[in-house]
Amino acid sequence: MSALVAIEGLRVRHGAQTVLDDVDLRIAKGEIVTVLGPNGSGKTTLMRAILGAVPLAGGRITHAPRLRIGYVPQKLALSPSLPLSVSRFLSLPTRRSVRACRAALAEADVAGLETREIASLSGGQLQRVLLARALLGDPQLLILDEPTTGLDQPGAAEFYRRIETLRAARGCAVLMVSHDLHVVMSASDRVICLNGHICCSGSPQAVASAPEYRALFGTGTGGALALYRHSHDHSHDHGCDHDHGHSDGADPGGGAGHAHGAPARPSAQETRRGVVR
Amino acid sequence: MIAGLLDDFMIRATLAGLGVAFAAAPLGCFVVWRRMAYFGDATAHAALLGVALSLALSLPVLAGVLAVALGMALTVSLLSGQHQGTDSLLGVLSHGALAIGLVAVSFVSGVRVDLSAYLFGDILSVRPADIAVIWGGAILVAGLIAWRWSVLLLATLGEDLARAGGVDPRREQLVLTLTLAITVAVAIKVVGALLIGAMLIIPAAAARFLARSPEAMAVIAALMAAVSVLAGLRGAMLFDTPAGPSIVTAATLLFALAGLAGRLRG
């Protein structure tokens, strides 16, 4: 199957610092990919590179012909001096019909917000309005930048379920970036762990194959959240000199990662963090 | 008949002022939305250096001002893309350009320069040819902004958001840079280098109290600016005050009134 986006040997520098190195990633039609990484791991840069917003120092990024990308930023550069209603925002830059706007807002689960001012929305409402705007372009690939920042865990679970429904209904691929190392969307087809390069990747099911983990899924969240644990006890077996603030303890199968020691067990504290009611 | 009308200096001043209002108000909305106040000031202050260069090289003042304002606007635009200490850097450029311009003008020998005309404007001395230039520039600015309106708004909300929508935010920034330089070049005769920033910011900020959409804000800002021009010129006649500062004073009073009205309306 031809990929929507194919990234080969990607290298990005900010000044003298190499932010991304030797990144290979293909996003297939209808696939949900979650990119995880600590702050400064280059995941936002990866996303911006796909959008064409950063110059590449090496490698290449190929888009499928006439690829429609729907981008959901984390926030807007919104000045309170700009009076902007939700429906006007949805029509930027392409004019959309009232009916299309209503449908998109309903699909993003924020029906009836048309006349509200963007500046008056809560974080969660704004997030969904941004999603609605992305949906209006009928995207083949939806790119979400830390979409659950500022949401509590039930809110995040709710949002993930919405994304899952959207994918099922529209068949669009989803690329999601998250810095939450402990919780990912369980509907992810692939979880990619990034820290300057791709440390490991695999399905969350494979990642979370340990029984202790499975017991945590689905309790009270409709299965929308999964625990993805990072231990801090391994070292890479090749000459990485940068500091990994995390490791790939959860890469038991299906992954493109390095060889690791024994799978880590969750500590009591991390188990609590993973439980979502 | 038109030639006859233009014999009256008040009518010429009014036409010139309305032209500046027409260009500065919609551009000023973007200056406010994108928090570019210093950007406007730095470009306007650099105009003074343009005046000095024009006088030294015996070029038309418009050409010198346009070139230097464009150079400054491009410089600021490039620097502000790098996000490091932009605020203080713009402050340095803005005040530095003003001081260097004043020093440069003092070096121009042989020409008696009425400095206050360039600092605060000399709207009462505009000639019919100035009016043509001002309106030509104003129509160009308003036309560019109207043409790019939706895309400019999108780029204002987020660069990556714009890119994902197939819009190059750098190109839109360039449109604003260009329109700003043109506005400065045509407005220096009317309100002077020191007060161009005021004509950009104050009507737009006043319109914010009353507007419910970006389009309405631009239209209301243009109306506010036009009323400020009319009231300021009238006030200058009545009280024998300098015309440029009187226009800005009128705009400031309108801002206060609009703020009050906005608060009362809730």
Side-chain angles (χ1 to χ4, degrees):
Chain A
M1 183 162 41
S2 68
L4 295 177
V5 173
I7 301 173
E8 291 162 79
L10 173 67
R11 175 197 290 256
V12 177
R13 286 181 211 268
H14 288 174
Q17 196 190 357
T18 301
V19 184
L20 286 176
D21 196 13
D22 196 25
V23 171
D24 294 300
L25 175 63
R26 295 170 72 82
I27 301 169
K29 200 163 161 277
E31 183 183 32
I32 299 184
V33 178
T34 296
V35 176
L36 278 185
N39 289 329
S41 60
K43 54 194 190 303
T44 298
T45 303
L46 174 63
M47 199 185 60
R48 298 188 71 223
I50 294 173
L51 292 175
V54 289
L56 310 187
R60 62 176 174 191
I61 299 179
T62 319
H63 287 188
R66 290 183 301 284
L67 175 66
R68 293 186 306 275
I69 294 181
Y71 171 58
V72 180
Q74 202 182 125
K75 55 182 189 294
L76 292 176
L78 199 59
S79 158
S81 62
L82 176 60
L84 190 65
S85 70
V86 168
S87 59
R88 184 73 187 82
F89 173 65
L90 294 178
S91 279
L92 282 179
T94 316
R95 176 68 63 183
R96 310 286 185 189
S97 70
V98 174
R99 177 197 296 262
C101 289
R102 189 184 302 143
L105 287 172
E107 199 174 354
D109 205 18
V110 275
L113 285 189
E114 284 94 333
T115 58
R116 287 278 298 277
E117 270 210 18
I118 290 275
S120 73
L121 300 179
S122 73
Q125 285 172 324
L126 178 61
Q127 193 64 252
R128 281 155 190 267
V129 167
L130 289 167
L131 177 63
R133 183 179 169 282
L135 293 176
L136 277 166
D138 188 22
Q140 296 159 290
L141 171 62
L142 205 51
I143 298 184
L144 305 156
D145 184 11
E146 312 246 355
T148 56
T149 305
L151 300 183
D152 54 14
Q153 285 187 328
E158 181 84 20
F159 190 82
Y160 285 155
R161 271 199 297 273
R162 178 61 52 175
I163 297 297
E164 205 180 331
T165 314
L166 281 176
R167 193 267 299 260
R170 292 172 166 259
C172 59
V174 177
L175 174 68
M176 188 158 20
V177 159
S178 171
H179 70 265
D180 191 336
L181 301 181
H182 301 281
V183 174
V184 298
M185 181 174 164
S186 61
S188 304
D189 296 303
R190 258 190 308 156
V191 175
I192 286 168
C193 174
L194 193 71
N195 198 359
H197 61 281
I198 292 178
C199 299
C200 63
S201 64
S203 72
Q205 285 77 14
V207 150
S209 60
E212 301 88 13
Y213 289 70
R214 203 173 291 153
L216 296 169
F217 298 156
T219 52
T221 62
L225 297 183
L227 182 66
Y228 185 82
R229 188 177 176 286
H230 281 252
S231 61
H232 298 261
D233 57 358
H234 96 296
S235 58
H236 283 279
D237 49 6
H238 61 80
C240 276
D241 56 3
H242 54 266
D243 178 37
H244 287 254
H246 69 111
S247 77
D248 328 335
D251 183 24
H258 323 293
H260 296 302
R265 292 179 175 279
S267 68
Q269 186 209 352
E270 279 169 329
T271 303
R272 268 202 307 279
R273 288 177 75 170
V275 177
V276 183
R277 292 176 212 290
Chain B
M1 180 197 149
I2 290 189
L5 266 179
L6 292 179
D7 284 344
D8 185 339
F9 75 95
M10 273 309 278
I11 288 178
R12 288 198 304 269
T14 305
L15 286 175
L18 290 178
V20 169
F22 185 57
L27 175 60
C29 288
F30 280 102
V31 170
V32 166
W33 295 334
R34 297 168 77 108
R35 300 184 177 95
M36 288 167 50
Y38 256 139
F39 188 86
D41 276 346
T43 307
H45 291 172
L48 208 56
L49 192 59
V51 170
L53 280 178
S54 310
L55 294 176
L57 303 173
S58 306
L59 288 170
V61 169
L62 181 76
V65 169
L66 193 58
V68 175
L70 196 56
M72 178 58 122
L74 284 172
T75 307
V76 172
S77 183
L78 277 176
L79 288 174
S80 60
Q82 296 170 6
H83 295 299
Q84 269 187 347
T86 304
D87 204 40
S88 46
L89 190 61
L90 285 180
V92 170
L93 284 174
S94 167
H95 299 301
L98 184 62
I100 293 169
L102 287 170
V103 169
V105 170
S106 80
F107 270 125
V108 179
S109 54
V111 193
R112 208 174 56 82
V113 183
D114 180 8
L115 201 55
S116 76
Y118 293 110
L119 286 176
F120 304 110
D122 193 11
I123 190 173
L124 299 182
S125 74
V126 293
R127 293 157 302 158
D130 295 327
I131 297 176
V133 167
I134 288 171
W135 273 95
I139 288 168
L140 190 60
V141 167
L144 270 172
I145 290 180
W147 174 44
R148 308 300 303 165
W149 182 261
S150 275
V151 181
L152 277 170
L153 266 180
L154 182 62
T156 297
L157 290 170
E159 294 202 346
D160 290 339
L161 195 70
R163 265 196 201 89
V167 173
D168 183 353
R170 285 169 308 180
R171 193 181 52 205
E172 305 314 318
Q173 174 82 23
L174 198 63
V175 169
L176 286 181
T177 305
L178 188 65
T179 49
L180 188 59
I182 297 172
T183 305
V184 165
V186 301
I188 188 166
K189 183 86 180 170
V190 174
V191 286
L194 283 184
L195 295 176
I196 292 170
M199 284 309 281
L200 289 170
I201 304 285
I202 300 178
R208 175 61 185 103
F209 292 118
L210 308 174
R212 292 276 196 243
S213 74
E215 293 78 15
M217 184 160 151
V219 171
I220 294 173
L223 289 175
M224 293 263 189
V227 171
S228 306
V229 166
L230 297 175
L233 285 175
R234 187 94 197 124
M237 278 271 267
L238 281 177
F239 306 112
D240 193 23
T241 48
S246 301
I247 292 173
V248 175
T249 302
T252 308
L253 289 176
L254 268 182
F255 172 84
L257 279 178
L260 213 60
R263 184 145 300 180
L264 287 179
R265 201 178 57 176

